Amino acid sequence: MKTPSPIPVNVPVITPEAKRYVMDALETGWISSAGPYMKKFEEAFARMVGVKHAVLTTSGTTALHLALMSMDVGAGDEVIVPDFTMIASVFAVMYTGAKPVFVDIEPDTFNLNPLLLAAKITARTKAIMPVHLFGHSCDMDPILKIAKEKNVAVLEDAAEAHGATYHGRVCGSMGTMSAFSFYGNKIITTGEGGIVCTDDDELAERARSLHDLAHSSKKRFLHEDVGFNYRMTNLQAALGFGQLEHLEEFLEKKRHMTARYREGLQGIRGLHLPVTKDYAGNVFWMYAIRVDETFGMTRDALRTALKDRGIDTREFFLPCHSQPAVAKRFPTKESFPVSERVAQEGFYLPSGLAITDEQIDRVCDAIREIADVA
């Protein structure tokens, strides 16, 4: 019998337009950080989000760092972040010299729990960083209300939420600033890359200056501030611009993937499928599930069994407060029970845009087969 081909956790789709635009950039010589696709991509992405300004960067991490620096976050400040998120969110805070302050998460969306937010605000709080995890928006209204009452900024980490919405508002349009990632596994990709979005003219101007080594407006090679080389290339922007033209098609593919997984996996004891709250336009960046003790085996044992069948998966992030790089600088005796449990139980299934119905069905059949003997 022929061995089935492995199913990777993510394979991107590169559109014909993206390939054509990249070749155009190559053939015209605009391969560095200047060129027509930079402006085209920034303007198109800003329109999609519904903001006035967008500044392309080298990664989602540098986009977060750039936004924080543009808002003058620094030593002595505190930034509130969810305890369960990709470590880049926390590292970006640490780069500024500020202290990350962790909040536990909701057990179903895995996002920052707004009910726990007010207790974390101090006189040093400079910003709140809600992370729209796995494509599901945070519950933004209570977060924005507390931020306004306490006069602190909101930086939306929308790295995984291209096109996601909250009560019809696009994720990345509600905070003081926002940051997206264009890494290879994101819905819109440039290979590596990111973007900062805002409606604030002054913050946009500062971000644009800082991301290009803070050249003075008085004289190009005069530097009155410490800047960063966070410029994306025109080649990457050409790729991203060609991808963005197909965003609605990509989101429809994610919805189709989700419906097929839901149909194939519903009713399995101990398996918790993704939820979508009434307020959320979930884009299901990855199909993230949890396995509790009633399944009959641990999350890690299930992942191993799937790997033996040629199916790739990814475990969830570790709780940020427990990461050695964080804990040795900001030790805490506080517990984050939901974050800790979710991190132990969660993983995501193959979810790339190139996934086929046949592959989804194979994943579902494998999980049911494993569950039957667990």
Side-chain angles (χ1 to χ4, degrees), residues 35 49 56 65 74 76 96 114 124 135 141-142 176 186-187 198 228 278 281 325 330 338 341 357:
V49 175
L56 287 165
H65 182 219
T96 70
R124 293 186 174 182
D141 282 344
T176 314
K186 299 303 187 290
I187 296 174
T198 185
F228 313 97
D278 291 343
F330 305 104
V338 181
R341 186 179 78 249
D357 287 353

Side-chain angles (χ1 to χ4, degrees), residues 183-257:
Y183 183 61
N185 61 11
K186 299 303 187 290
I187 296 174
I188 300 298
T189 182
T190 59
E192 287 279 5
I195 199 165
V196 172
C197 294
T198 185
D199 268 328
D200 188 297
D201 297 341
E202 292 184 8
L203 289 176
E205 183 179 358
R206 180 158 172 76
R208 198 166 292 284
S209 173
L210 288 176
H211 103 297
D212 186 19
L213 298 171
H215 291 277
S216 173
S217 58
K218 304 172 188 175
K219 185 176 177 63
R220 175 159 178 77
F221 293 112
L222 175 67
H223 303 271
E224 299 172 319
D225 205 346
V226 176
F228 313 97
N229 183 356
Y230 285 171
R231 303 183 303 261
M232 181 182 277
T233 68
N234 191 57
L235 280 173
Q236 293 169 291
L239 175 59
F241 183 58
Q243 298 292 93
L244 186 59
E245 292 182 351
H246 289 259
L247 178 60
E248 287 305 317
E249 173 188 327
F250 291 166
L251 297 182
E252 178 55 36
K253 177 62 185 286
K254 289 289 187 180
R255 288 189 287 268
H256 175 80
M257 173 198 76

Side-chain angles (χ1 to χ4, degrees), residues 81-117:
V81 294
D83 187 55
F84 181 71
T85 182
M86 205 274 185
I87 197 63
S89 308
V90 180
F91 280 174
V93 175
M94 294 170 67
Y95 297 158
T96 70
K99 176 184 177 181
V101 175
F102 300 111
V103 179
D104 210 350
I105 59 170
E106 298 175 326
D108 48 4
T109 68
F110 314 139
N111 286 328
L112 182 153
N113 189 335
L115 298 177
L116 305 177
L117 182 57

Side-chain angles (χ1 to χ4, degrees), residues 38-215:
M38 301 292 290
K39 184 177 181 181
K40 288 180 180 180
F41 189 27
E42 285 180 340
E43 290 181 346
F45 200 86
R47 284 195 301 271
M48 185 276 290
V49 175
V51 295
K52 292 195 292 183
H53 305 286
V55 181
L56 287 165
T57 68
T58 53
S59 69
T61 308
T62 57
L64 287 169
H65 182 219
L66 181 65
L68 290 166
M69 294 300 293
S70 300
M71 295 188 294
D72 292 322
V73 174
D77 294 330
E78 295 176 349
V79 178
I80 296 176
V81 294
D83 187 55
F84 181 71
T85 182
M86 205 274 185
I87 197 63
S89 308
V90 180
F91 280 174
V93 175
M94 294 170 67
Y95 297 158
T96 70
K99 176 184 177 181
V101 175
F102 300 111
V103 179
D104 210 350
I105 59 170
E106 298 175 326
D108 48 4
T109 68
F110 314 139
N111 286 328
L112 182 153
N113 189 335
L115 298 177
L116 305 177
L117 182 57
K120 298 286 185 170
I121 304 282
T122 73
R124 293 186 174 182
T125 305
K126 193 70 173 284
I128 302 166
M129 187 191 293
V131 182
H132 305 298
L133 208 65
F134 301 140
H136 189 293
S137 69
C138 293
D139 190 359
M140 289 299 295
D141 282 344
I143 295 172
L144 294 168
K145 182 175 184 291
I146 291 171
K148 184 176 181 180
E149 290 172 351
K150 301 296 184 179
N151 194 31
V152 298
V154 173
L155 170 56
E156 292 179 74
D157 183 341
E160 302 169 357
H162 305 174
T165 59
Y166 173 77
H167 286 311
R169 290 171 281 173
V170 177
C171 289
S173 68
M174 295 169 278
T176 314
M177 303 187 83
S178 63
F180 293 79
S181 169
F182 298 130
Y183 183 61
N185 61 11
K186 299 303 187 290
I187 296 174
I188 300 298
T189 182
T190 59
E192 287 279 5
I195 199 165
V196 172
C197 294
T198 185
D199 268 328
D200 188 297
D201 297 341
E202 292 184 8
L203 289 176
E205 183 179 358
R206 180 158 172 76
R208 198 166 292 284
S209 173
L210 288 176
H211 103 297
D212 186 19
L213 298 171
H215 291 277

Side-chain angles (χ1 to χ4, degrees), residues 265-272 291-296 368 371 374:
L265 296 175
Q266 63 184 348
I268 299 177
R269 184 181 62 184
L271 199 68
H272 299 263
V291 179
D292 70 28
E293 64 278 1
T294 65
F295 183 80
R368 287 197 172 276

